[in-house]
Each structure stands twice: as structure tokens, then as C-alpha cells.
Amino acid sequence: MNATELRKNAIFQNNSVLDYRCGHFGYNMVIQQPNTQIKLTNVSIVRLRKGGKRFELACYKNKVMEWRSNVETDLDEVLQIHNVFLNVSKGQVASKEDLKKCFKTEEVDKVIQEILKKGELQVAEKERTDQLETIWKDIANIVTDNCVNPQTKRPYTVTMIEKAMQDLHLSVNPKRSPKSQALDVIKQLQEKQLLPIQRAQMRLRLTLAQSSASKKLREKIMPLLTSIEDEDSNESEIEIIALIDPGQYRIINDLLQKEGKGKGQLEIMNLREKEEGDERF
């Protein structure tokens, strides 16, 4: 096939032309517009080193994380070009021999899935900065929404939490969820006593049948309650209204399901017990 025929077989994608040119060592793919080679823009590159070679995928921004979290399952929605590259910017496609040698398979989709799963997502500096700022604010908002000053029961403002995070010299980890990092922040603030802080308590109503089994269950549940606000009983049942740390809810519920044998009830009355207004310095 001559150069003219090759040019006619060019593939158009994302307003760019994939032009196959014959070189001394075979065919190389370069991504270009007529007469001008361009770099892919608005693209996220996922890179994986394996078997002494570097393999890359050209992906749409944000789609890689969606695929990794199972929000997106269609590879065509993730990939700008459905192929495995040695170098995306130069348009160098990995050969079947490369795939066979390094991945023990020639099936492109299997290789793509491994690279998406294990590869490193390359992020531009500005994009990385924006990502870290977003995670930082998410952490601060989660702490603000879920915590109070235990002395006043009032929540802190986001600004106050961010100031405390700065005092902790917090380094945001883009590979961890904001929620897990927020829990770490709460723990560190408590340990270093930078702020009087605790998770906002959950108010619940616990109802148990009057029986010897329920009495033993009650003995196990009582240490898990932060405080009891009200307790009432009659010949058939016991009702307790109490505050608990949200982290204890699942433990209490599991105890009730396993040992209560369906004769007890747990009702959330207030997800977060807070006083009106924000805490101020």
C-alpha cells in the first residue's frame, strides 16, 4: 500500500487524524491534523510499567476514576482510543508481541483492563492542584457536618476546621477517600487537643422485651451508650432513649439482630444531635 492509499485509510477521532505512516521498522501511528502534528489535549493518560516496557492508555478525563469505582463499565466511554500505546503523545502502538511478552495475552481488552486497574493516572500540575483543593474542602466539610464542640454541642465552621487542619500540617492523599481522611482528622484533633471536638451524637430509641435474654442483651448494650436521656418500662417491654457515638450504631444493631431474636427495636430519632448556630472563637 503506497502513502496515498495509507492516507485515505486515516481514522478520524476527536477532531484529530490517526495517520499511519510507513517507517523503516514498520508502521508508526502519529496523531495529527493536516500538515501539523498535535498533542492530545483534554486527555488523561494511564501508565503502567511491566516487563521492562511502559504501556499507556489515552482516556477521557474523570472517566478513569469512574471506571475504578464501577460507576462506568463501558471501556469505549473511558478510552479516547481503544488501543494500548507505548507512547500516547507519539502515537506509538504496542505490538501484539509486546502484549504477549509482558501480559501473557494478545487480547487488547484484557490488557486495557489491567492497565486501568493497576496503572498510574498521569495528572497535569494544575489539575492535580485543583483535585487536592477539592479533597481538602471535602474533608473539612465532612468534619464540620459530623462534629461538634462537646462543651456547647455547636458545630464548628468550615473555616475553623480548615485552620485546625493547617495546624495539623495535613497532607491530602488523593488515593484515599475524603471520608476516611476526615475520620483521621477527627482522631488527630482529639489526640493533639487542638480543638475540643467529638462526633455529633446520634439519638435513638431502643425497645427491648421484658425477658431474661433481653436483660443479658441490655447489659451488653449499656456500655455502648454515651448517655441515657430517658428510660421507661412496663410489664412487657423496656424503652430507652439515649445518645450514642455514630460508630456504635452498627454494633448495637448487630447485637439486637443476633441476640434479640427479633424481639427488640432500634429507631433513630436524630442522626446528629446539635445545638443551633455555629461555634465561634
Side-chain angles (χ1 to χ4, degrees), residues 40-88:
L40 276 174
T41 57
N42 196 32
V43 64
S44 291
I45 295 175
V46 180
R47 182 177 296 158
L48 178 68
R49 289 188 177 276
K50 188 161 184 173
K53 287 184 177 290
R54 183 181 71 184
F55 297 91
E56 296 181 343
L57 301 176
C59 304
Y60 290 106
K61 285 188 176 182
N62 304 321
K63 285 295 183 178
V64 176
M65 299 308 297
E66 289 184 8
W67 188 88
R68 287 178 173 175
S69 60
N70 296 319
V71 173
E72 180 60 70
T73 57
D74 186 351
L75 287 178
D76 288 332
E77 294 295 323
V78 178
L79 303 172
Q80 289 207 24
I81 303 171
H82 202 113
N83 217 332
V84 180
F85 293 84
L86 295 177
N87 189 307
V88 167

Side-chain angles (χ1 to χ4, degrees), residues 225-266:
L225 307 180
T226 302
S227 64
I228 296 175
E229 294 188 334
D230 190 25
E231 184 172 355
D232 192 18
S233 63
N234 54 38
E235 293 181 357
S236 60
E237 62 183 21
I238 304 169
E239 182 182 274
I240 300 171
I241 296 177
L243 295 177
I244 65 167
D245 185 284
Q248 303 288 12
Y249 176 80
R250 180 172 293 181
I251 299 173
I252 295 172
N253 190 54
D254 287 346
L255 280 171
L256 202 60
Q257 296 298 320
K258 293 176 182 177
E259 300 186 26
K261 299 179 180 179
K263 296 182 179 180
Q265 291 183 338
L266 191 61

Side-chain angles (χ1 to χ4, degrees), residues 5-21 29-34 40 80-83 85 93:
E5 290 172 321
L6 284 169
R7 190 174 298 278
K8 288 180 179 179
N9 287 321
I11 302 171
F12 288 82
Q13 185 163 345
N14 298 322
N15 298 321
S16 298
V17 180
L18 303 184
D19 182 14
Y20 289 82
R21 291 182 174 179
M29 184 176 71
V30 294
I31 302 172
Q32 62 172 211
Q33 288 179 332
L40 276 174
Q80 289 207 24
I81 303 171
H82 202 113
N83 217 332
F85 293 84
V93 179

Side-chain angles (χ1 to χ4, degrees), residues 33-229:
Q33 288 179 332
N35 302 322
T36 308
Q37 182 174 343
I38 64 169
K39 292 182 179 180
L40 276 174
T41 57
N42 196 32
V43 64
S44 291
I45 295 175
V46 180
R47 182 177 296 158
L48 178 68
R49 289 188 177 276
K50 188 161 184 173
K53 287 184 177 290
R54 183 181 71 184
F55 297 91
E56 296 181 343
L57 301 176
C59 304
Y60 290 106
K61 285 188 176 182
N62 304 321
K63 285 295 183 178
V64 176
M65 299 308 297
E66 289 184 8
W67 188 88
R68 287 178 173 175
S69 60
N70 296 319
V71 173
E72 180 60 70
T73 57
D74 186 351
L75 287 178
D76 288 332
E77 294 295 323
V78 178
L79 303 172
Q80 289 207 24
I81 303 171
H82 202 113
N83 217 332
V84 180
F85 293 84
L86 295 177
N87 189 307
V88 167
S89 62
K90 294 181 179 179
Q92 295 177 348
V93 179
S95 67
K96 288 186 177 181
E97 289 76 15
D98 289 332
L99 301 185
K100 183 70 174 178
K101 179 181 177 181
C102 299
F103 293 91
K104 310 304 180 186
T105 181
E106 294 180 2
E107 293 186 43
V108 173
D109 278 4
K110 285 187 177 181
V111 175
I112 287 173
Q113 290 180 27
E114 181 172 345
I115 296 173
L116 281 174
K117 181 179 179 181
K118 300 179 180 179
E120 181 182 355
L121 180 61
Q122 308 298 303
V123 182
E125 186 61 33
K126 183 180 184 305
E127 186 178 350
R128 178 178 174 80
T129 300
D130 291 344
Q131 180 188 25
L132 293 178
E133 287 180 356
T134 298
I135 296 173
W136 174 277
K137 291 185 179 299
D138 286 345
I139 293 171
N141 280 311
I142 291 171
V143 174
T144 300
D145 289 342
N146 290 278
C147 294
V148 295
N149 182 328
Q151 299 164 1
T152 64
K153 305 300 182 185
R154 293 178 182 272
Y156 289 103
T157 64
V158 174
T159 302
M160 293 173 71
I161 295 299
E162 286 188 296
K163 174 63 169 60
M165 288 164 59
Q166 291 171 355
D167 292 340
L168 287 173
H169 304 291
L170 180 70
S171 179
V172 171
N173 185 343
K175 295 183 179 180
R176 293 182 59 202
S177 71
K179 182 177 180 180
S180 66
Q181 294 184 75
L183 292 174
D184 286 346
V185 167
I186 296 168
K187 184 178 180 180
Q188 290 182 54
L189 289 175
Q190 290 172 333
E191 289 176 349
K192 297 185 179 181
Q193 299 182 351
L194 293 178
L195 282 177
I197 192 170
Q198 71 175 25
R199 293 186 67 180
Q201 299 292 286
M202 178 187 292
R203 178 182 283 112
L204 53 79
R205 177 185 285 112
L206 174 65
T207 306
L208 298 171
Q210 289 278 24
S211 66
S212 57
S214 293
K215 184 177 180 181
K216 293 180 181 179
L217 178 58
R218 184 178 186 275
E219 291 174 354
K220 292 182 179 180
I221 291 177
M222 292 302 288
L224 303 175
L225 307 180
T226 302
S227 64
I228 296 175
E229 294 188 334

